[in-house]
Amino acid sequence: MKTLVEKIWDNHVVKMLDEKEAVIYIDRHYIHEVTSPQAFDMLKEKGLQVFRPKKTTATVDHNIPTLKQELPIEEKESLKQVEQLRQNCKDFGIELQDLGSKHQGIVHVIGPEMGLTIPGSTIVCGDSHTSTHGAFGTIAFGIGTSEVATVFASQCVIQSKPLTMKIEINGEIGKYVTPKDVVLQVIAKIGTAGATGYFIEFSGNVIQEMSMEGRMTVCNMSIEMGARGGLIAPDEITFSYLEQTDYWKNRVADFQLQKENWKLLKSDQNAEFDRFVTIDATEIQQLMTYGTNPGTGIPIGSLIPNQDGGIDYMQFKQNESMVGIPVDYVFLGSCTNGRIEDLRQFASIVKGKQKAENVTAWIVPGSKQVEEQCRIEGIDIILKNAGFELRQPGCSACLAMNPDKVPTGKLCVSTSNRNFEGRQGKGSRTILASPITAAMCAVAGEIVSYKEFELL
Amino acid sequence: MEKFERLISNYTLLETENIDTDQIIPAVHLKSIERINFGKYLFSNWRNEGKLDEIEWPRNGTTNKVLVAGSNFGCGSSREHAVWALSDYGFKVILSTQIADIFSLNALNNGVLPIKISEELYRHLIKLNNTNCQIEIDLETQEVILDSVGKKEKFKISEFKRECLLNGFDTIDYLVSIYSDIENYEQAR
């Protein structure tokens, strides 16, 4: 009796080093401009080539501007990193989705879109949100630059077998409750280090009914519980998503064949997990974080509990509600919530309304494909009419390595994944929320839940 | 990689929990394409805001090789720059009751030891702070030793990484040496 994680893990063991540690084969390696240059250097220092260049895919996302991408990058250091990646990809024969190419975008948005993230595979990237790809039933996890170099050199990493945790979420989901609210609730329950050492399998009717976009949002934030990764067993929703990707559209026969194998990817009925957690979906409300770690989610309008989650930094007071606090910035985007469904949800709320004057909003699609789809569906027009501007793809204000920085002291309602001190710019204050909540706050100009929003 | 066998040093205490890698090194400092000189950016926001004592946290690095920190140290982003900054600043050992997984591996890959200690030892180190107490780390026996107060605690790290550190071996060299195993695996699929 095995869990899905164990099955995929065992299937990728090249060699056991001892009871726990093994050389693990990596099927897909994604890289970007920030954590790869030093890894290429490590390879060069040893006079090595990339062992399997076709299994690595590169893009630029972390430090690029989200306006005027057709012009040269103004920030010298950012330009240097991007140019270094271009040169390295050329020298080592790696496919690069560069600025201007059809599939450029956030690494965790484009991999699935291109059809490269496939069930049952192992995936790594020098980025902690690699857990996103677990939504397709993969073992996907973030690695540091030294390990990026080991993947270049050998297509393998050395890792210890993770503990397994099952998180089952059952029940009826309430009004305006999105996958982001679901995962914020899970983090609030497990804690920011509660899953350290574990690989999570998400299950239950709430997960089964979610779109792939929603599942990616959930798996994306596994790392915010300290987890090694999080996955969801693939099903018909997974297969129909993949079937429509560029890669699989042109490989119909192969797809049907693969699909039969993918259908077998599930935990055995009586498989034992090291930990089992259940979440009652009926209790999940529209959430928002009040502190400086992602485990501080509370229902909007409830009182900030008496605990130290960074409320001094956030300039909030315990036993007070956040409703009515003016909002300075709204950020819609990131590998957590920069997909087409997120843009659709945001647009559905702001349609026919106007952005509040006191709010600066950054609406950043996760990829070129998402941007293109927004234009096809007229989302760009809806946004424009409501006073918003659709920008160009990148990580943007999620980590503020590019010019999209929230100024010191300003409050930002953000659909990204981390509300750490200074994450969105030095001194910035971040509230994590769903695209729907972000849209409501952008229109209201202050913190609101749907209850206040509907009265506007 | 440099060998690591045994180390005796004073320690620096940072009692904060959930110290994420954005605090260890803010993202604006990740734009270098090299691996050197990150020490000056270690906790740069906190240091600039005067949140860290200037005597305890000298501008140009520390002679204390051990950092004792609150639970869940190194959570968040996978940026190895966090380890490069700690190491360049002078720290070779991190002691905490919980250390994030990706950070731990990054540390081990750079000859920095991430050691998970008991709550009891952590409390003890808080009490002993500023008493000039020295900590001994023995990687051979996997022990943290506080000689002056007669305290010892066993710790565990990956056996493979321990061998690498004791002998100065490198993961890439090992993986290159087993290319035939990797190719056999590929062919057998």
Side-chain angles (χ1 to χ4, degrees), chain A residues 11-15 17-18 21 23 25 27 34-35 37-38 41-42 45-46 48-49 51-52 55 63 75 77-78 80-81 84 125-128 142-147 149-150 153-159 192-193 195-198 223-224 226-228 292-293 313 399-402 405 418 420-423 426-427, chain B residues 1 16-23 26-36 38 41 44-46 48-49 51 71-73 75-81 84 98-102 105-106 108-110 116 157-162 164 170-187 189:
Chain A
N11 202 15
H12 287 82
V13 172
V14 171
K15 190 178 171 141
L17 298 176
D18 56 39
E21 268 188 302
V23 177
Y25 193 82
D27 295 318
V34 175
T35 58
Q38 294 91 344
D41 283 349
M42 293 173 194
E45 282 160 20
K46 290 184 183 290
L48 295 168
Q49 288 298 311
F51 186 65
R52 295 288 179 258
K55 290 181 187 280
N63 68 23
E75 256 182 25
E77 284 182 301
S78 298
K80 195 171 171 187
Q81 276 189 330
Q84 187 70 42
C125 173
D127 188 286
S128 59
I143 54 176
T145 297
S146 293
E147 286 201 296
T150 69
S154 66
Q155 204 56 37
C156 290
V157 292
I158 293 175
Q159 291 259 339
T192 51
T196 304
Y198 289 85
I223 182 71
E224 312 311 334
R228 297 268 297 271
T292 55
N293 74 64
Y313 178 88
L399 82 170
M401 275 193 81
N402 77 341
K405 290 177 175 61
R418 289 183 178 139
F420 299 155
E421 282 182 31
R423 170 82 177 179
K426 201 175 166 211
Chain B
M1 189 154 62
T16 315
E17 289 186 1
N18 294 317
I19 296 175
D20 57 76
T21 52
D22 275 82
Q23 307 315 314
V28 287
H29 302 304
L30 308 185
K31 295 196 180 183
S32 164
I33 57 170
E34 295 178 22
R35 272 166 282 166
I36 51 168
F38 284 103
Y41 304 127
S44 61
N45 283 353
W46 288 358
N48 292 339
E49 290 160 13
K51 283 187 187 167
S71 183
N72 200 22
F73 186 82
C75 60
S77 134
S78 64
R79 61 188 71 165
E80 199 159 310
H81 312 65
W84 297 334
Q98 182 72 272
I99 305 180
D101 286 326
I102 305 177
L105 257 181
N106 289 346
L108 290 167
N109 283 330
N110 286 278
K116 192 175 165 177
I157 68 159
S158 131
E159 196 46 42
F160 174 78
K161 291 294 178 193
R162 194 175 79 96
C164 284
D170 185 299
T171 309
I172 294 185
D173 293 340
Y174 170 72
L175 289 169
V176 168
S177 79
I178 61 157
Y179 268 173
S180 58
D181 289 313
I182 300 170
E183 278 160 350
N184 288 341
Y185 170 85
E186 286 176 324
Q187 277 155 25
R189 296 184 91 190

Side-chain angles (χ1 to χ4, degrees), chain A residues 5-226:
Chain A
V5 171
E6 288 168 312
K7 287 181 188 179
I8 301 173
W9 185 271
D10 292 348
N11 202 15
H12 287 82
V13 172
V14 171
K15 190 178 171 141
M16 296 293 292
L17 298 176
D18 56 39
E19 270 173 32
K20 280 183 74 184
E21 268 188 302
V23 177
I24 295 293
Y25 193 82
I26 300 302
D27 295 318
R28 178 58 52 188
H29 184 203
Y30 296 113
I31 62 170
H32 60 82
E33 75 278 20
V34 175
T35 58
S36 67
Q38 294 91 344
F40 280 110
D41 283 349
M42 293 173 194
L43 203 64
K44 288 178 213 165
E45 282 160 20
K46 290 184 183 290
L48 295 168
Q49 288 298 311
V50 172
F51 186 65
R52 295 288 179 258
K54 296 264 175 292
K55 290 181 187 280
T56 294
T57 306
T59 191
V60 288
D61 55 4
H62 276 61
N63 68 23
I64 54 168
T66 54
L67 288 177
K68 297 185 184 160
Q69 285 183 352
E70 39 312 321
L71 301 178
I73 298 172
E74 277 179 28
E75 256 182 25
K76 275 194 189 137
E77 284 182 301
S78 298
L79 177 64
K80 195 171 171 187
Q81 276 189 330
V82 168
E83 285 186 335
Q84 187 70 42
L85 182 65
R86 287 175 182 148
Q87 190 60 47
N88 282 328
C89 286
K90 202 172 149 206
D91 292 348
F92 289 95
I94 291 168
E95 183 192 344
L96 169 66
Q97 298 299 331
D98 204 347
L99 287 170
S101 71
K102 188 182 158 198
H103 282 296
Q104 180 268 330
I106 304 174
V107 67
H108 310 307
V109 178
I110 68 160
E113 270 176 5
M114 292 171 74
L116 298 177
T117 292
I118 58 170
S121 60
T122 48
I123 297 172
V124 293
C125 173
D127 188 286
S128 59
H129 291 108
T130 308
S131 58
T132 313
H133 305 267
F136 291 79
T138 71
I139 286 193
F141 53 90
I143 54 176
T145 297
S146 293
E147 286 201 296
V148 171
T150 69
V151 180
F152 282 156
S154 66
Q155 204 56 37
C156 290
V157 292
I158 293 175
Q159 291 259 339
S160 62
K161 197 168 182 170
L163 295 165
T164 55
M165 184 189 299
K166 186 175 193 178
I167 298 181
E168 205 173 279
I169 311 163
N170 284 312
E172 185 115 357
I173 282 282
K175 198 174 181 185
Y176 295 121
V177 171
T178 70
K180 181 64 163 287
D181 303 288
V182 171
V183 73
L184 285 174
Q185 176 92 354
V186 174
I187 303 166
K189 176 155 181 171
I190 306 274
T192 51
T196 304
Y198 289 85
F199 211 98
I200 300 167
E201 178 172 347
F202 294 99
S203 64
N205 75 288
V206 171
I207 298 292
Q208 282 162 6
E209 288 158 19
M210 264 183 206
S211 66
M212 286 317 294
E213 284 85 355
R215 293 177 188 185
M216 282 190 261
T217 300
V218 171
C219 290
N220 172 278
M221 291 191 76
S222 309
I223 182 71
E224 312 311 334
M225 295 168 249

